[in-house]
Amino acid sequence: MKSLTSLQLFLFLSTTVFNLFSSTAAIGVNYGMVADNLPSPAKVANFIKTKTIFDSIKIFDTNPNVLRAFANTDITMTVTIPNGEIPNLANEGAASAWVNANIQPFHPQTKIKYISVGNEVVLLDNPAHINGLVPAMKALTEALRKAGPQFQDIKVTSAHALNMFQGLTVPSLARFRIDLTETFFKPVLQFHQQNKSPFMINPYPYFELNVMSNNIDFAVFRKTPGVFDPASKKTYSNALDSLLDKTYSAMSALGFADVDIVIGETGWPSLGDPGNKAADMDNAASYNGHLIRKIVSGVGTPLMPNWKFETYIFALFNENQKPGPLTEKNWGLFQPDFSPVYTSGALRDGLQPNLSNPGFAVEVKPGQPLPKPVQPMPAPPADTAKKFCVPKPEATDAQLQNNLDYACGQGIDCRPIQAGGVCVEPGTVRSRAAFAMNSYFKSKLGVDSACDFSGTGQDVDASAQELQENLDWTCGQGIDCSPIQPEGACEYPVKVSCADFSMNSYYREAGELKSACDFNGTGVLIEADPSKSGVGLGIHHTNGTGRV
């Protein structure tokens, strides 16, 4: 047989990948618009239709300009209802009014495929949103039925973050959180089973690095020895497969293995703050390049072989107005001028990424260097570099829960303080609020007003805090204090919170003996609310002026 030239081989592989995509899998992209330099929705619709492999998009609202722009393009769309509207939509009248205003004027000219009711409600931990989700999904489904037969192909779902598992375990033994299994996940899955709608998840290996020993190569699909599941006897070559199979195992344990799984968001940032070694172009190109190849191949996972996952990559564009760390601005596959941030394989006639190279050298067209990512935010002013935002002593748990909900709803990464996160203990509202409030404060460059929180926050100098002796002693007893070191995953704003972490860790390592919580009279046992934190006993301390 005559050998193919390099050009012929490239064209053959490119055609094969595109044909495989068009016949076996649906792959889409999240179209976020938190930026001041994006092209018009009409230009975006034309670009996606004519230049990319994407056949679907997901948006985070029901922007009528976007809905109109995608009319008659044959690109399917997922629209999203904000979390705050969930409680009201449990009312059938309100649900019908919402459908009449946001769906009927556009569908079927714009092919709306899914309505996502809220986004990551368990992660944001608002009881009204969690308890109202299933009633709202039922009311919206009934409203679509009453609207007419042309709306029966629209399915109702909701996207979930992966803080939903009980503890850290191997994929085949994963189970949903005990506190939410019967009251939330079972009713959600019953709804999907009855309505033949998918369970939508947002699996991000990037956010799971802390529980996989920061194994970046495993997370971005590079060649590694893999991770062995002794229960199923399966070996996992990448982190995404393990996250998908954890979801499948938890669903199967409740009897819902027949419910489809849709990947609502997944991706990798191409630039991060100084010291972030995971967020760079090589890792982003490796993750998204392999992801596209995996999805279009339909290979599935170890527990779900040949499963074709409908997938929405996050995100279409870099978004220069997103709050939070620098990574939040740099998840995009493309710059606002439609030039690729790196080679991912998302362009129909563009270069394919070099996936055979373990180091993943990104290919660039001659004479066309990759565009620069969004530039880093300026460093905080020198006089605020050591300032931190903490709750005032008199702030109530109710006030701090509101602060927690607000901060985590503003783009702050709150996964470390959710169930299974590396910073989940001590499991108190005050400790979790301190983490979220300080993260929000840092994202605003230490501006005083960013620590107000309706009068419940105060900015302090870390050097003024007490309990250094307890902190030094516990960390010297073999306790892993790396998460609370500078730049650690749980870098708490004050020594009080750091001491909480280390004292609680020592107490657990000592077998939860009462005497292990004395600390010369500065420690006290408390009962934490398992429904909030997933832990039973926690530790707080006294500092001579009463309990903090």
Side-chain angles (χ1 to χ4, degrees):
M1 178 179 176
K2 186 178 179 181
S3 62
L4 296 173
T5 67
S6 298
L7 177 60
Q8 288 172 324
L9 181 60
F10 170 77
L11 292 174
F12 172 76
L13 290 174
S14 299
T15 303
T16 300
V17 168
F18 177 72
N19 287 339
L20 186 60
F21 154 76
S22 61
S23 61
T24 64
I27 189 163
V29 67
N30 285 271
Y31 174 18
M33 303 180 71
V34 188
D36 60 7
N37 57 355
L38 296 182
S40 69
K43 290 181 179 179
V44 172
N46 182 65
F47 171 72
I48 291 176
K49 181 178 176 63
T50 62
K51 301 295 184 181
T52 77
I53 65 171
F54 301 127
D55 64 357
S56 50
I57 69 162
K58 181 167 163 278
I59 60 175
F60 295 93
D61 51 23
T62 52
N63 187 322
N65 294 327
V66 176
L67 288 165
R68 281 190 287 268
F70 281 84
N72 304 310
T73 61
D74 286 329
I75 295 170
T76 62
M77 179 176 292
T78 298
V79 298
T80 303
I81 297 174
N83 289 6
E85 295 185 25
I86 292 174
N88 183 53
L89 290 174
N91 176 280
E92 289 191 6
S96 292
W98 187 91
V99 168
N100 292 341
N102 296 283
I103 303 298
Q104 281 191 333
F106 306 104
H107 183 82
Q109 292 81 8
T110 299
K111 296 173 66 173
I112 300 172
K113 187 174 185 179
Y114 300 125
I115 298 172
S116 178
V117 185
N119 188 52
E120 301 186 336
V121 296
V122 171
L123 176 67
L124 298 178
D125 200 24
N126 186 311
H129 302 163
I130 292 173
N131 297 332
L133 182 62
V134 172
M137 291 198 298
K138 289 180 176 179
L140 286 162
T141 300
E142 179 63 15
L144 290 169
R145 186 190 66 80
K146 290 180 178 179
Q150 68 270 37
F151 300 100
Q152 301 311 295
D153 57 342
I154 301 175
K155 298 297 182 181
V156 177
T157 185
S158 183
H160 302 276
L162 294 195
N163 68 315
M164 57 188 181
F165 303 118
Q166 185 67 30
L168 304 175
T169 186
V170 296
S172 63
L173 299 179
R175 299 295 183 266
F176 289 119
R177 284 170 48 178
I178 293 175
D179 59 318
L180 293 174
T181 296
E182 294 295 327
T183 59
F184 181 76
F185 287 110
K186 195 169 184 178
V188 166
L189 291 167
Q190 284 174 334
F191 169 84
H192 290 314
Q193 190 177 62
Q194 292 166 359
N195 291 281
K196 296 181 172 53
S197 54
F199 185 58
M200 185 176 285
I201 62 172
N202 296 343
Y204 280 101
Y206 175 80
F207 290 121
E208 304 288 332
L209 285 171
N210 61 309
V211 297
M212 61 176 76
S213 303
N214 289 311
N215 190 343
I216 295 175
D217 286 344
F218 179 70
V220 301
F221 295 94
R222 293 195 186 105
K223 188 175 182 180
T224 68
V227 175
F228 182 67
D229 181 340
S232 66
K233 310 300 182 185
K234 304 288 187 182
T235 297
Y236 286 82
S237 63
N238 64 85
L240 180 63
D241 279 355
S242 68
L243 295 177
L244 292 172
D245 277 356
K246 286 181 74 172
T247 304
Y248 176 74
S249 295
M251 293 168 62
S252 298
L254 294 180
F256 298 102
D258 59 331
V259 173
D260 275 345
I261 298 172
V262 167
I263 300 174
E265 294 178 30
T266 192
W268 199 278
S270 61
L271 185 67
D273 292 303
N276 185 338
K277 298 179 181 179
D280 65 26
M281 284 192 183
D282 282 353
N283 290 334
S286 182
Y287 183 79
N288 285 320
H290 281 93
L291 172 70
I292 290 172
R293 188 70 59 88
K294 174 183 174 61
I295 296 304
V296 301
S297 73
V299 66
T301 71
L303 295 184
M304 295 178 284
N306 303 315
W307 194 303
K308 299 175 178 62
F309 294 98
E310 185 175 351
T311 299
Y312 295 80
I313 297 176
F314 189 88
L316 182 60
F317 294 116
N318 279 342
E319 298 172 71
N320 66 357
Q321 297 295 300
K322 290 194 74 173
L326 185 60
T327 51
E328 286 301 306
K329 298 172 172 60
N330 286 281
W331 287 85
L333 298 173
F334 298 97
Q335 298 287 3
D337 63 359
F338 300 118
S339 60
V341 177
Y342 50 83
T343 302
S344 65
L347 289 172
R348 286 175 183 254
D349 56 355
L351 289 174
Q352 296 300 311
N354 177 12
L355 302 184
S356 62
N357 183 349
F360 206 89
V362 181
E363 299 178 45
V364 185
K365 294 180 181 179
Q368 295 185 0
L370 291 174
K372 294 181 179 179
V374 176
Q375 291 302 304
M377 295 173 65
D383 59 348
T384 65
K386 294 183 179 181
K387 290 175 65 176
F388 299 89
C389 181
V390 299
K392 287 183 177 178
E394 63 271 22
T396 66
D397 279 1
Q399 290 173 319
L400 295 180
Q401 184 64 51
N402 287 335
N403 295 351
L404 182 61
D405 293 341
Y406 174 79
C408 292
Q410 298 301 308
I412 300 301
D413 178 16
C414 289
R415 286 173 171 83
I417 55 173
Q418 298 297 325
V422 70
C423 314
V424 72
E425 295 192 32
T428 62
V429 173
R430 181 169 291 273
S431 178
R432 296 164 70 222
F435 179 99
M437 291 165 66
N438 189 59
S439 298
Y440 177 81
F441 179 66
K442 284 185 175 180
S443 77
K444 300 301 182 182
L445 302 181
V447 175
D448 288 344
S449 60
C451 188
D452 182 69
F453 290 98
S454 300
T456 63
Q458 59 182 346
D459 55 72
V460 298
D461 189 318
S463 63
Q465 302 303 316
E466 300 178 354
L467 300 180
Q468 184 65 51
E469 290 184 6
N470 291 351
L471 185 59
D472 292 341
W473 188 85
T474 50
C475 291
Q477 301 303 306
I479 298 300
D480 179 14
C481 290
S482 59
I484 55 174
Q485 300 301 322
E487 305 301 328
C490 310
E491 183 188 4
Y492 287 111
V494 294
K495 288 188 175 67
V496 168
S497 297
C498 290
D500 270 347
F501 180 97
S502 65
M503 291 163 68
N504 192 65
S505 298
Y506 176 79
Y507 169 73
R508 295 227 183 255
E509 287 291 324
E512 301 188 0
L513 296 174
K514 186 176 181 180
S515 60
C517 185
D518 181 68
F519 294 102
N520 294 322
T522 63
V524 60
L525 285 171
I526 65 165
E527 186 77 25
D529 180 357
S531 69
K532 294 294 185 185
S533 66
V535 297
L537 290 173
I539 291 182
H540 259 209
H541 55 265
T542 56
N543 65 3
T545 59
R547 184 173 297 182
V548 175

